[in-house]
Amino acid sequence: MRIDQITLRRLQAPLKAPFETSFIRMDKKDCVIVSVYSDGMIGYGESTAFSAPYYNEETTDTVWHMLEHYLVPALTGRVVSHPDEVSALFAPIRRHHMAIAAIETAVWDLYAKRQGISLSHALGGTKQEIDVGVSIGIEPTVEHVVANVERFVEQGYKRIKVKIKPGFDIRLVEAIRKRFGDGLPLMVDANSAYTMADIPLLKELDPYGLMMIEQPLAHDDIIDHAALQRELRTPICLDESIHTLADARHAIELGSCRIINIKVGRVGGLTNARKIHDLCLERGIPVWCGGMLELGIGRLHNVALSSLSNFTIPGDVSASSRFWEQDVVEPAIDLVRPGVLAVPTGAGIGHAVCERTLDGWTVNKLTQGA
Ligand code: OSB
Ligand code: MG
């Protein structure tokens, strides 16, 4: 297929409610939507960087810069027979994974649409439905978070993840266990808020039977995590530390984690996400799909990815209503049963994109190509 035209839109979409982690508080989603055109068909991608560089080094500005000056010019007018070629084309670029993923995922959607198959099918997915979990942010008090947990437990989410930070950890987990019992599939995400000096405190989490503790230590570490994992019964899951297939292999071989969170943006797209999935399957490491407060486009890429067989743990792939009053896809992504999303069977991402809604939130737009 020839890539005839590429359009970039920078969107500012209002979140239903602010979302707080150990590193940032967000009240809107600032992202780039990429539309890739071929023969009258359109593939869509969505960037996952935030406005400020506190999750990783990228920002929405750097994503736009990379797309405008490097990625879009390299792809416009090019003939691509498979999206893996896009991943290979951009492999010489150092990092900027979220910028690359925004355009690479659009080509995956376009490719599946041109083949007349679902994105899940194009990726080799095997599930028709996926069990999903929810990620719950930090609030002013433990009671606030417990109330939020209750709301999502009622919606049947299959796994609850709560954000923790120093001073807002053990008491929170204790309160959730007390209120919902030991049967609730529960995990915590620290977003790198702890250090090796906190080992005694992190060990205090062991008796609570958590499914895992996500990214307790530094974003760029896999050495200390291995030492910490030897001290903990609770499995460590890595998020921020895994950018490449080699990172995943190193972490597995060092024993830095027993579970990996795969985020499409963080690893530079669906081709790399699938490679990491395959490696983890081979090495007996379960994976789950992480989220970055995606709108429907990124969310549907996550749903398709989650249909691969080794995504055995419910991910942060919740319904549109988790973050959005209104979504950019039609219909919005909704639970088909409590805690379950259907994997779309229509071509590509499987839902229509509402360009009017996109345009309503667009603050900057750029088109290259005919
Ligand atoms: O670490 O997984 C994370 C949100 C912003 C930044 C980092 C993370 C998160 C989440 C939200 O946990 C997951 C979601 O999109 O539901
Ligand atoms: Mg995380």
Side-chain angles (χ1 to χ4, degrees):
M1 58 194 181
R2 181 181 181 273
I3 307 297
D4 303 321
Q5 182 191 312
I6 302 178
T7 296
L8 305 179
R9 284 183 179 86
R10 183 160 182 171
L11 250 58
Q12 309 245 307
L15 285 170
K16 239 177 167 175
F19 187 85
E20 186 172 332
T21 69
S22 60
F23 61 92
I24 203 171
R25 183 178 164 87
M26 270 173 293
D27 55 14
K28 64 172 173 4
K29 168 92 191 209
D30 173 23
C31 66
V32 183
I33 301 293
V34 182
S35 310
V36 177
Y37 295 73
S38 179
D39 258 347
M41 284 184 154
I42 313 177
Y44 292 97
E46 173 181 334
S47 69
T48 60
F50 297 126
S51 303
Y54 301 120
Y55 168 80
N56 68 340
E57 72 284 2
E58 295 184 80
T59 68
T60 314
D61 284 330
T62 71
V63 165
W64 184 277
H65 169 81
M66 288 303 295
L67 285 164
E68 179 180 359
H69 297 290
Y70 295 95
L71 310 178
V72 173
L75 212 53
T76 307
R78 186 176 278 266
V79 174
V80 173
S81 55
H82 190 277
D84 285 351
E85 294 167 16
V86 177
S87 185
L89 176 68
F90 296 140
I93 294 172
R94 299 288 185 245
R95 297 283 175 153
H96 294 289
H97 287 178
M98 290 175 172
I100 293 169
I103 197 163
E104 190 252 19
T105 53
V107 175
W108 267 104
D109 179 32
L110 180 63
Y111 169 78
K113 283 170 175 161
R114 299 247 343 201
Q115 304 284 311
I117 59 175
S118 68
L119 180 58
S120 161
H121 186 85
L123 287 164
T126 54
K127 296 183 242 171
Q128 273 97 58
E129 292 183 338
I130 56 168
D131 285 346
V132 294
V134 67
S135 173
I136 298 173
I138 291 169
E139 298 288 347
T141 68
V142 164
E143 290 68 36
H144 276 85
V145 178
V146 170
N148 285 340
V149 172
E150 174 142 36
R151 203 150 51 82
F152 292 112
V153 165
E154 279 166 6
Q155 294 174 37
Y157 281 102
K158 304 276 187 186
R159 181 228 63 180
I160 298 291
K161 157 170 144 182
V162 291
K163 295 287 189 180
I164 58 168
K165 64 178 180 181
F168 199 78
D169 40 38
I170 310 286
R171 272 191 317 113
L172 174 65
V173 170
E174 189 186 4
I176 295 171
R177 279 288 180 235
K178 198 164 155 213
R179 171 69 184 77
F180 302 97
D182 292 337
L184 179 74
L186 179 66
M187 61 171 289
V188 295
D189 185 357
N191 288 112
S192 297
Y194 297 86
T195 69
M196 291 294 269
D198 297 310
I199 290 184
L201 182 139
L202 294 168
K203 282 174 100 152
E204 280 182 54
L205 287 170
D206 268 341
Y208 293 99
L210 299 175
M211 299 167 78
M212 69 195 87
I213 171 166
E214 185 179 350
Q215 197 71 36
L217 305 177
H219 71 96
D220 55 356
D221 168 78
I222 52 169
I223 305 294
D224 287 348
H225 276 105
L228 176 63
Q229 181 67 92
R230 287 193 288 274
E231 299 278 325
L232 294 182
R233 263 190 292 131
T234 309
I236 290 175
C237 169
L238 289 178
D239 172 355
E240 283 90 331
S241 295
I242 308 296
H243 302 273
T244 63
L245 182 65
D247 287 343
R249 185 172 55 77
H250 296 158
I252 294 167
E253 284 171 6
L254 285 171
S256 318
C257 62
R258 295 189 194 137
I259 299 169
I260 289 180
N261 162 339
I262 300 180
K263 286 183 181 166
V264 177
R266 198 191 65 227
V267 303
L270 285 163
T271 293
N272 289 340
R274 182 165 67 170
K275 285 182 185 166
I276 294 172
H277 163 274
D278 293 350
L279 171 78
C280 290
L281 177 62
E282 201 182 290
R283 303 291 176 96
I285 299 287
V287 302
W288 54 276
C289 183
M292 294 288 278
L293 302 104
E294 286 90 346
L295 285 160
I297 295 167
R299 202 161 286 275
L300 287 167
H301 286 116
N302 290 344
V303 171
L305 181 66
S306 302
S307 73
L308 272 61
S309 67
N310 196 37
F311 282 84
T312 51
I313 299 171
D316 290 339
V317 191
S318 29
S320 298
S321 63
R322 163 72 185 92
F323 293 111
W324 312 108
E325 217 67 76
Q326 191 194 352
D327 204 339
V328 299
V329 296
E330 282 175 343
I333 303 155
D334 212 349
L335 300 173
V336 284
R337 287 198 306 286
V340 178
L341 288 180
V343 178
T345 53
I349 56 174
H351 289 226
V353 172
C354 180
E355 300 240 343
R356 214 155 37 86
T357 307
L358 286 183
D359 284 333
W361 288 332
T362 295
V363 295
N364 196 6
K365 189 169 171 176
L366 186 77
T367 292
Q368 291 187 25

